[in-house]
Structures are given as C-alpha cells and as structure tokens.
mmCIF file of all heavy atoms in Angstrom:
data_model
loop_
_atom_site.group_PDB
_atom_site.id
_atom_site.type_symbol
_atom_site.label_atom_id
_atom_site.label_comp_id
_atom_site.label_asym_id
_atom_site.label_seq_id
_atom_site.Cartn_x
_atom_site.Cartn_y
_atom_site.Cartn_z
ATOM 1 N N TYR U 1 -1.254 7.721 1.139
ATOM 2 C CA TYR U 1 -2.152 8.383 0.202
ATOM 3 C C TYR U 1 -2.208 9.890 0.397
ATOM 4 O O TYR U 1 -3.284 10.493 0.455
ATOM 5 C CB TYR U 1 -3.545 7.761 0.294
ATOM 6 C CG TYR U 1 -3.594 6.367 -0.283
ATOM 7 C CD1 TYR U 1 -3.466 5.254 0.527
ATOM 8 C CD2 TYR U 1 -3.749 6.159 -1.636
ATOM 9 C CE1 TYR U 1 -3.500 3.972 -0.002
ATOM 10 C CE2 TYR U 1 -3.776 4.886 -2.175
ATOM 11 C CZ TYR U 1 -3.646 3.800 -1.357
ATOM 12 O OH TYR U 1 -3.674 2.532 -1.892
ATOM 13 N N THR U 2 -1.053 10.501 0.506
ATOM 14 C CA THR U 2 -0.929 11.952 0.542
ATOM 15 C C THR U 2 0.181 12.372 -0.412
ATOM 16 O O THR U 2 1.025 11.554 -0.804
ATOM 17 C CB THR U 2 -0.586 12.457 1.954
ATOM 18 O OG1 THR U 2 0.678 11.887 2.355
ATOM 19 C CG2 THR U 2 -1.665 12.083 2.967
ATOM 20 N N GLU U 3 0.191 13.641 -0.779
ATOM 21 C CA GLU U 3 1.249 14.130 -1.665
ATOM 22 C C GLU U 3 2.620 13.978 -1.021
ATOM 23 O O GLU U 3 3.597 13.633 -1.684
ATOM 24 C CB GLU U 3 0.990 15.586 -2.034
ATOM 25 C CG GLU U 3 -0.170 15.782 -2.989
ATOM 26 C CD GLU U 3 -0.227 17.172 -3.568
ATOM 27 O OE1 GLU U 3 0.730 17.575 -4.248
ATOM 28 O OE2 GLU U 3 -1.227 17.872 -3.350
ATOM 29 N N MET U 4 2.689 14.227 0.291
ATOM 30 C CA MET U 4 3.946 14.065 1.004
ATOM 31 C C MET U 4 4.403 12.608 0.966
ATOM 32 O O MET U 4 5.572 12.311 0.706
ATOM 33 C CB MET U 4 3.802 14.540 2.456
ATOM 34 C CG MET U 4 5.041 14.322 3.333
ATOM 35 S SD MET U 4 6.435 15.364 2.852
ATOM 36 C CE MET U 4 5.891 16.941 3.521
ATOM 37 N N GLY U 5 3.464 11.679 1.224
ATOM 38 C CA GLY U 5 3.796 10.262 1.201
ATOM 39 C C GLY U 5 4.275 9.813 -0.165
ATOM 40 O O GLY U 5 5.236 9.044 -0.291
ATOM 41 N N LEU U 6 3.612 10.298 -1.216
ATOM 42 C CA LEU U 6 3.995 9.958 -2.580
ATOM 43 C C LEU U 6 5.387 10.488 -2.908
ATOM 44 O O LEU U 6 6.211 9.785 -3.481
ATOM 45 C CB LEU U 6 2.964 10.521 -3.561
ATOM 46 C CG LEU U 6 3.221 10.295 -5.050
ATOM 47 C CD1 LEU U 6 3.301 8.819 -5.367
ATOM 48 C CD2 LEU U 6 2.117 10.948 -5.876
ATOM 49 N N SER U 7 5.647 11.727 -2.514
ATOM 50 C CA SER U 7 6.946 12.340 -2.776
ATOM 51 C C SER U 7 8.062 11.596 -2.051
ATOM 52 O O SER U 7 9.133 11.344 -2.618
ATOM 53 C CB SER U 7 6.919 13.807 -2.348
ATOM 54 O OG SER U 7 8.162 14.422 -2.549
ATOM 55 N N ASN U 8 7.810 11.238 -0.791
ATOM 56 C CA ASN U 8 8.806 10.491 -0.017
ATOM 57 C C ASN U 8 9.112 9.144 -0.654
ATOM 58 O O ASN U 8 10.272 8.710 -0.726
ATOM 59 C CB ASN U 8 8.324 10.290 1.416
ATOM 60 C CG ASN U 8 8.347 11.569 2.234
ATOM 61 O OD1 ASN U 8 9.030 12.539 1.884
ATOM 62 N ND2 ASN U 8 7.599 11.596 3.332
ATOM 63 N N PHE U 9 8.060 8.462 -1.125
ATOM 64 C CA PHE U 9 8.248 7.146 -1.731
ATOM 65 C C PHE U 9 9.070 7.248 -3.006
ATOM 66 O O PHE U 9 9.973 6.440 -3.241
ATOM 67 C CB PHE U 9 6.889 6.491 -2.029
ATOM 68 C CG PHE U 9 6.996 5.081 -2.545
ATOM 69 C CD1 PHE U 9 6.949 4.014 -1.668
ATOM 70 C CD2 PHE U 9 7.150 4.820 -3.899
ATOM 71 C CE1 PHE U 9 7.071 2.711 -2.132
ATOM 72 C CE2 PHE U 9 7.261 3.525 -4.369
ATOM 73 C CZ PHE U 9 7.214 2.468 -3.487
ATOM 74 N N TYR U 10 8.782 8.241 -3.847
ATOM 75 C CA TYR U 10 9.472 8.345 -5.135
ATOM 76 C C TYR U 10 10.980 8.494 -4.957
ATOM 77 O O TYR U 10 11.756 7.990 -5.756
ATOM 78 C CB TYR U 10 8.929 9.517 -5.960
ATOM 79 C CG TYR U 10 9.548 9.547 -7.338
ATOM 80 C CD1 TYR U 10 9.059 8.738 -8.350
ATOM 81 C CD2 TYR U 10 10.658 10.335 -7.602
ATOM 82 C CE1 TYR U 10 9.648 8.726 -9.600
ATOM 83 C CE2 TYR U 10 11.255 10.336 -8.852
ATOM 84 C CZ TYR U 10 10.745 9.524 -9.854
ATOM 85 O OH TYR U 10 11.336 9.500 -11.092
ATOM 86 N N LYS U 11 11.411 9.157 -3.896
ATOM 87 C CA LYS U 11 12.828 9.441 -3.676
ATOM 88 C C LYS U 11 13.614 8.217 -3.188
ATOM 89 O O LYS U 11 14.845 8.248 -3.149
ATOM 90 C CB LYS U 11 12.980 10.572 -2.660
ATOM 91 C CG LYS U 11 12.439 11.927 -3.131
ATOM 92 C CD LYS U 11 12.627 12.978 -2.051
ATOM 93 C CE LYS U 11 12.205 14.373 -2.528
ATOM 94 N NZ LYS U 11 10.791 14.512 -2.672
ATOM 95 N N LEU U 12 12.937 7.142 -2.825
ATOM 96 C CA LEU U 12 13.608 5.959 -2.285
ATOM 97 C C LEU U 12 14.324 5.180 -3.382
ATOM 98 O O LEU U 12 13.936 5.222 -4.557
ATOM 99 C CB LEU U 12 12.593 5.047 -1.591
ATOM 100 C CG LEU U 12 11.886 5.621 -0.350
ATOM 101 C CD1 LEU U 12 10.771 4.680 0.093
ATOM 102 C CD2 LEU U 12 12.872 5.846 0.783
ATOM 103 N N PRO U 13 15.354 4.402 -3.030
ATOM 104 C CA PRO U 13 16.017 3.537 -4.010
ATOM 105 C C PRO U 13 15.062 2.464 -4.527
ATOM 106 O O PRO U 13 14.164 2.028 -3.817
ATOM 107 C CB PRO U 13 17.176 2.908 -3.216
ATOM 108 C CG PRO U 13 17.173 3.524 -1.896
ATOM 109 C CD PRO U 13 15.988 4.338 -1.687
ATOM 110 N N SER U 14 15.249 2.043 -5.764
ATOM 111 C CA SER U 14 14.314 1.134 -6.424
ATOM 112 C C SER U 14 14.173 -0.194 -5.686
ATOM 113 O O SER U 14 13.076 -0.761 -5.608
ATOM 114 C CB SER U 14 14.739 0.894 -7.873
ATOM 115 O OG SER U 14 16.051 0.408 -7.953
ATOM 116 N N GLU U 15 15.286 -0.734 -5.136
ATOM 117 C CA GLU U 15 15.200 -2.016 -4.442
ATOM 118 C C GLU U 15 14.351 -1.909 -3.178
ATOM 119 O O GLU U 15 13.646 -2.854 -2.804
ATOM 120 C CB GLU U 15 16.592 -2.571 -4.109
ATOM 121 C CG GLU U 15 17.452 -1.669 -3.200
ATOM 122 C CD GLU U 15 18.266 -0.638 -3.954
ATOM 123 O OE1 GLU U 15 17.994 -0.411 -5.153
ATOM 124 O OE2 GLU U 15 19.171 -0.042 -3.324
ATOM 125 N N LEU U 16 14.382 -0.762 -2.528
ATOM 126 C CA LEU U 16 13.564 -0.549 -1.341
ATOM 127 C C LEU U 16 12.099 -0.372 -1.738
ATOM 128 O O LEU U 16 11.197 -0.836 -1.043
ATOM 129 C CB LEU U 16 14.068 0.667 -0.563
ATOM 130 C CG LEU U 16 13.368 0.995 0.764
ATOM 131 C CD1 LEU U 16 13.361 -0.218 1.688
ATOM 132 C CD2 LEU U 16 14.028 2.189 1.453
ATOM 133 N N LYS U 17 11.850 0.305 -2.857
ATOM 134 C CA LYS U 17 10.480 0.473 -3.348
ATOM 135 C C LYS U 17 9.809 -0.879 -3.575
ATOM 136 O O LYS U 17 8.636 -1.068 -3.220
ATOM 137 C CB LYS U 17 10.476 1.266 -4.653
ATOM 138 C CG LYS U 17 10.806 2.735 -4.514
ATOM 139 C CD LYS U 17 10.769 3.407 -5.867
ATOM 140 C CE LYS U 17 11.142 4.878 -5.771
ATOM 141 N NZ LYS U 17 11.131 5.550 -7.091
ATOM 142 N N GLU U 18 10.530 -1.793 -4.163
ATOM 143 C CA GLU U 18 9.975 -3.116 -4.452
ATOM 144 C C GLU U 18 9.544 -3.815 -3.163
ATOM 145 O O GLU U 18 8.474 -4.411 -3.090
ATOM 146 C CB GLU U 18 11.002 -3.961 -5.205
ATOM 147 C CG GLU U 18 10.462 -5.301 -5.700
ATOM 148 C CD GLU U 18 11.475 -6.067 -6.529
ATOM 149 O OE1 GLU U 18 12.570 -5.516 -6.832
ATOM 150 O OE2 GLU U 18 11.169 -7.216 -6.893
ATOM 151 N N ASN U 19 10.372 -3.727 -2.148
ATOM 152 C CA ASN U 19 10.065 -4.343 -0.857
ATOM 153 C C ASN U 19 8.873 -3.659 -0.183
ATOM 154 O O ASN U 19 7.983 -4.317 0.359
ATOM 155 C CB ASN U 19 11.293 -4.292 0.046
ATOM 156 C CG ASN U 19 11.088 -5.030 1.356
ATOM 157 O OD1 ASN U 19 10.583 -6.144 1.387
ATOM 158 N ND2 ASN U 19 11.484 -4.404 2.451
ATOM 159 N N LEU U 20 8.841 -2.329 -0.230
ATOM 160 C CA LEU U 20 7.744 -1.590 0.395
ATOM 161 C C LEU U 20 6.417 -1.832 -0.314
ATOM 162 O O LEU U 20 5.364 -1.891 0.320
ATOM 163 C CB LEU U 20 8.060 -0.095 0.417
ATOM 164 C CG LEU U 20 9.072 0.367 1.465
ATOM 165 C CD1 LEU U 20 9.355 1.846 1.317
ATOM 166 C CD2 LEU U 20 8.575 0.070 2.880
ATOM 167 N N ASN U 21 6.453 -1.987 -1.626
ATOM 168 C CA ASN U 21 5.226 -2.285 -2.362
ATOM 169 C C ASN U 21 4.599 -3.590 -1.894
ATOM 170 O O ASN U 21 3.377 -3.727 -1.834
ATOM 171 C CB ASN U 21 5.491 -2.335 -3.862
ATOM 172 C CG ASN U 21 5.422 -0.961 -4.518
ATOM 173 O OD1 ASN U 21 4.814 -0.037 -3.981
ATOM 174 N ND2 ASN U 21 6.042 -0.829 -5.679
ATOM 175 N N LYS U 22 5.452 -4.556 -1.555
ATOM 176 C CA LYS U 22 4.945 -5.817 -1.010
ATOM 177 C C LYS U 22 4.331 -5.592 0.372
ATOM 178 O O LYS U 22 3.271 -6.134 0.690
ATOM 179 C CB LYS U 22 6.071 -6.852 -0.945
ATOM 180 C CG LYS U 22 6.580 -7.309 -2.303
ATOM 181 C CD LYS U 22 7.762 -8.256 -2.158
ATOM 182 C CE LYS U 22 8.302 -8.666 -3.529
ATOM 183 N NZ LYS U 22 9.512 -9.529 -3.419
ATOM 184 N N GLN U 23 5.002 -4.779 1.193
ATOM 185 C CA GLN U 23 4.495 -4.496 2.533
ATOM 186 C C GLN U 23 3.195 -3.689 2.497
ATOM 187 O O GLN U 23 2.307 -3.879 3.325
ATOM 188 C CB GLN U 23 5.538 -3.728 3.346
ATOM 189 C CG GLN U 23 6.798 -4.533 3.697
ATOM 190 C CD GLN U 23 7.733 -3.746 4.587
ATOM 191 O OE1 GLN U 23 7.310 -3.113 5.545
ATOM 192 N NE2 GLN U 23 9.022 -3.758 4.267
ATOM 193 N N TYR U 24 3.097 -2.798 1.521
ATOM 194 C CA TYR U 24 1.936 -1.910 1.422
ATOM 195 C C TYR U 24 0.796 -2.509 0.597
ATOM 196 O O TYR U 24 -0.225 -1.848 0.391
ATOM 197 C CB TYR U 24 2.330 -0.573 0.779
ATOM 198 C CG TYR U 24 3.305 0.270 1.557
ATOM 199 C CD1 TYR U 24 3.954 1.349 0.942
ATOM 200 C CD2 TYR U 24 3.584 0.015 2.891
ATOM 201 C CE1 TYR U 24 4.835 2.144 1.641
ATOM 202 C CE2 TYR U 24 4.488 0.799 3.602
ATOM 203 C CZ TYR U 24 5.112 1.857 2.965
ATOM 204 O OH TYR U 24 5.994 2.643 3.651
ATOM 205 N N ARG U 25 0.946 -3.742 0.175
ATOM 206 C CA ARG U 25 -0.005 -4.327 -0.773
ATOM 207 C C ARG U 25 -1.452 -4.175 -0.328
ATOM 208 O O ARG U 25 -2.319 -3.766 -1.097
ATOM 209 C CB ARG U 25 0.324 -5.802 -0.978
ATOM 210 C CG ARG U 25 -0.663 -6.516 -1.890
ATOM 211 C CD ARG U 25 -0.408 -8.004 -1.931
ATOM 212 N NE ARG U 25 -1.523 -8.710 -2.530
ATOM 213 C CZ ARG U 25 -1.674 -10.013 -2.511
ATOM 214 N NH1 ARG U 25 -0.758 -10.776 -1.907
ATOM 215 N NH2 ARG U 25 -2.737 -10.574 -3.071
ATOM 216 N N PHE U 26 -1.718 -4.500 0.929
ATOM 217 C CA PHE U 26 -3.108 -4.508 1.377
ATOM 218 C C PHE U 26 -3.621 -3.133 1.775
ATOM 219 O O PHE U 26 -4.760 -2.996 2.219
ATOM 220 C CB PHE U 26 -3.300 -5.534 2.496
ATOM 221 C CG PHE U 26 -3.105 -6.951 2.016
ATOM 222 C CD1 PHE U 26 -2.017 -7.695 2.416
ATOM 223 C CD2 PHE U 26 -3.991 -7.505 1.121
ATOM 224 C CE1 PHE U 26 -1.823 -8.985 1.949
ATOM 225 C CE2 PHE U 26 -3.804 -8.800 0.636
ATOM 226 C CZ PHE U 26 -2.721 -9.536 1.057
ATOM 227 N N ALA U 27 -2.785 -2.133 1.583
ATOM 228 C CA ALA U 27 -3.282 -0.760 1.639
ATOM 229 C C ALA U 27 -3.909 -0.379 0.308
ATOM 230 O O ALA U 27 -4.504 0.683 0.168
ATOM 231 C CB ALA U 27 -2.153 0.206 1.976
ATOM 232 N N SER U 28 -3.799 -1.270 -0.660
ATOM 233 C CA SER U 28 -4.340 -1.037 -1.992
ATOM 234 C C SER U 28 -5.283 -2.146 -2.451
ATOM 235 O O SER U 28 -6.332 -1.885 -3.028
ATOM 236 C CB SER U 28 -3.189 -0.895 -3.001
ATOM 237 O OG SER U 28 -3.652 -0.805 -4.317
ATOM 238 N N ASP U 29 -4.928 -3.401 -2.163
ATOM 239 C CA ASP U 29 -5.631 -4.534 -2.765
ATOM 240 C C ASP U 29 -6.589 -5.278 -1.838
ATOM 241 O O ASP U 29 -7.270 -6.191 -2.285
ATOM 242 C CB ASP U 29 -4.610 -5.556 -3.299
ATOM 243 C CG ASP U 29 -3.772 -5.001 -4.437
ATOM 244 O OD1 ASP U 29 -4.182 -3.983 -5.030
ATOM 245 O OD2 ASP U 29 -2.712 -5.571 -4.728
ATOM 246 N N GLY U 30 -6.643 -4.946 -0.580
ATOM 247 C CA GLY U 30 -7.499 -5.687 0.341
ATOM 248 C C GLY U 30 -8.987 -5.388 0.149
ATOM 249 O O GLY U 30 -9.383 -4.474 -0.572
ATOM 250 N N ALA U 31 -9.815 -6.189 0.813
ATOM 251 C CA ALA U 31 -11.268 -6.003 0.777
ATOM 252 C C ALA U 31 -11.701 -5.066 1.902
ATOM 253 O O ALA U 31 -11.089 -5.036 2.979
ATOM 254 C CB ALA U 31 -11.981 -7.345 0.905
ATOM 255 N N SER U 32 -12.750 -4.295 1.670
ATOM 256 C CA SER U 32 -13.222 -3.358 2.686
ATOM 257 C C SER U 32 -13.815 -4.119 3.872
ATOM 258 O O SER U 32 -14.455 -5.171 3.692
ATOM 259 C CB SER U 32 -14.273 -2.411 2.102
ATOM 260 O OG SER U 32 -15.415 -3.116 1.697
ATOM 261 N N PRO U 33 -13.626 -3.627 5.091
ATOM 262 C CA PRO U 33 -14.119 -4.321 6.288
ATOM 263 C C PRO U 33 -15.621 -4.581 6.256
ATOM 264 O O PRO U 33 -16.075 -5.666 6.643
ATOM 265 C CB PRO U 33 -13.738 -3.367 7.426
ATOM 266 C CG PRO U 33 -12.602 -2.555 6.891
ATOM 267 C CD PRO U 33 -12.844 -2.416 5.428
ATOM 268 N N HIS U 34 -16.417 -3.608 5.781
ATOM 269 C CA HIS U 34 -17.867 -3.807 5.792
ATOM 270 C C HIS U 34 -18.294 -4.873 4.785
ATOM 271 O O HIS U 34 -19.286 -5.578 5.002
ATOM 272 C CB HIS U 34 -18.606 -2.474 5.540
ATOM 273 C CG HIS U 34 -18.559 -1.977 4.123
ATOM 274 N ND1 HIS U 34 -17.580 -1.147 3.678
ATOM 275 C CD2 HIS U 34 -19.386 -2.206 3.054
ATOM 276 C CE1 HIS U 34 -17.792 -0.861 2.408
ATOM 277 N NE2 HIS U 34 -18.877 -1.497 2.000
ATOM 278 N N THR U 35 -17.543 -5.018 3.667
ATOM 279 C CA THR U 35 -17.865 -6.071 2.698
ATOM 280 C C THR U 35 -17.557 -7.445 3.268
ATOM 281 O O THR U 35 -18.344 -8.383 3.117
ATOM 282 C CB THR U 35 -17.084 -5.860 1.384
ATOM 283 O OG1 THR U 35 -17.326 -4.552 0.879
ATOM 284 C CG2 THR U 35 -17.500 -6.879 0.338
ATOM 285 N N ILE U 36 -16.416 -7.581 3.934
ATOM 286 C CA ILE U 36 -16.062 -8.843 4.586
ATOM 287 C C ILE U 36 -17.119 -9.228 5.608
ATOM 288 O O ILE U 36 -17.587 -10.374 5.658
ATOM 289 C CB ILE U 36 -14.676 -8.741 5.253
ATOM 290 C CG1 ILE U 36 -13.585 -8.543 4.192
ATOM 291 C CG2 ILE U 36 -14.380 -9.979 6.093
ATOM 292 C CD1 ILE U 36 -12.204 -8.259 4.768
ATOM 293 N N GLU U 37 -17.523 -8.255 6.421
ATOM 294 C CA GLU U 37 -18.533 -8.506 7.453
ATOM 295 C C GLU U 37 -19.862 -8.926 6.833
ATOM 296 O O GLU U 37 -20.507 -9.873 7.292
ATOM 297 C CB GLU U 37 -18.719 -7.265 8.314
ATOM 298 C CG GLU U 37 -19.706 -7.447 9.463
ATOM 299 C CD GLU U 37 -19.794 -6.208 10.327
ATOM 300 O OE1 GLU U 37 -20.347 -5.185 9.859
ATOM 301 O OE2 GLU U 37 -19.307 -6.251 11.460
ATOM 302 N N GLU U 38 -20.275 -8.225 5.776
ATOM 303 C CA GLU U 38 -21.543 -8.548 5.120
ATOM 304 C C GLU U 38 -21.543 -9.961 4.557
ATOM 305 O O GLU U 38 -22.529 -10.697 4.713
ATOM 306 C CB GLU U 38 -21.826 -7.546 4.006
ATOM 307 C CG GLU U 38 -23.174 -7.766 3.317
ATOM 308 C CD GLU U 38 -23.474 -6.750 2.229
ATOM 309 O OE1 GLU U 38 -22.671 -5.794 2.059
ATOM 310 O OE2 GLU U 38 -24.507 -6.904 1.551
ATOM 311 N N VAL U 39 -20.446 -10.369 3.921
ATOM 312 C CA VAL U 39 -20.367 -11.712 3.359
ATOM 313 C C VAL U 39 -20.407 -12.763 4.456
ATOM 314 O O VAL U 39 -21.140 -13.757 4.345
ATOM 315 C CB VAL U 39 -19.094 -11.873 2.494
ATOM 316 C CG1 VAL U 39 -18.883 -13.335 2.113
ATOM 317 C CG2 VAL U 39 -19.184 -11.013 1.241
ATOM 318 N N TYR U 40 -19.637 -12.557 5.504
ATOM 319 C CA TYR U 40 -19.615 -13.554 6.586
ATOM 320 C C TYR U 40 -20.988 -13.687 7.236
ATOM 321 O O TYR U 40 -21.455 -14.791 7.515
ATOM 322 C CB TYR U 40 -18.564 -13.206 7.636
ATOM 323 C CG TYR U 40 -18.255 -14.376 8.556
ATOM 324 C CD1 TYR U 40 -17.277 -15.295 8.222
ATOM 325 C CD2 TYR U 40 -18.981 -14.584 9.725
ATOM 326 C CE1 TYR U 40 -17.011 -16.389 9.038
ATOM 327 C CE2 TYR U 40 -18.725 -15.664 10.546
ATOM 328 C CZ TYR U 40 -17.739 -16.567 10.202
ATOM 329 O OH TYR U 40 -17.488 -17.659 11.010
#
C-alpha cells in the first residue's frame, strides 16, 4: 500500500500478478483483528 509497491506490482508479468493477487488476498479482504476479537 505505497506508491513504490504499486509501481513495482504494475511492472510484473500478468501471470505473476495473478498469483500474487491470490497471495495478497488477505491484505485486502480479511477481517480486522479487533472485530474478530470482539465477536469471539
């Protein structure tokens, strides 16, 4: 989540981007730690 990180990602080959998006999924779609704790 920085301009440098975004720029580096854009320059990668498309097949690698697809794989990294899967690896990075929970940097975007996960639940916040305090919400998980509150629910439990």
Side-chain angles (χ1 to χ4, degrees):
Y1 289 96
T2 61
E3 288 192 61
M4 176 68 76
L6 178 59
S7 178
N8 288 341
F9 185 92
Y10 185 82
K11 295 180 175 71
L12 296 172
S14 56
E15 60 273 14
L16 183 54
K17 289 180 182 179
E18 187 176 354
N19 185 46
L20 284 176
N21 274 339
K22 293 176 182 177
Q23 292 184 45
Y24 296 166
R25 177 187 166 191
F26 294 111
S28 174
D29 295 342
S32 64
H34 74 269
T35 305
I36 295 173
E37 183 177 71
E38 183 179 355
V39 170
Y40 195 88

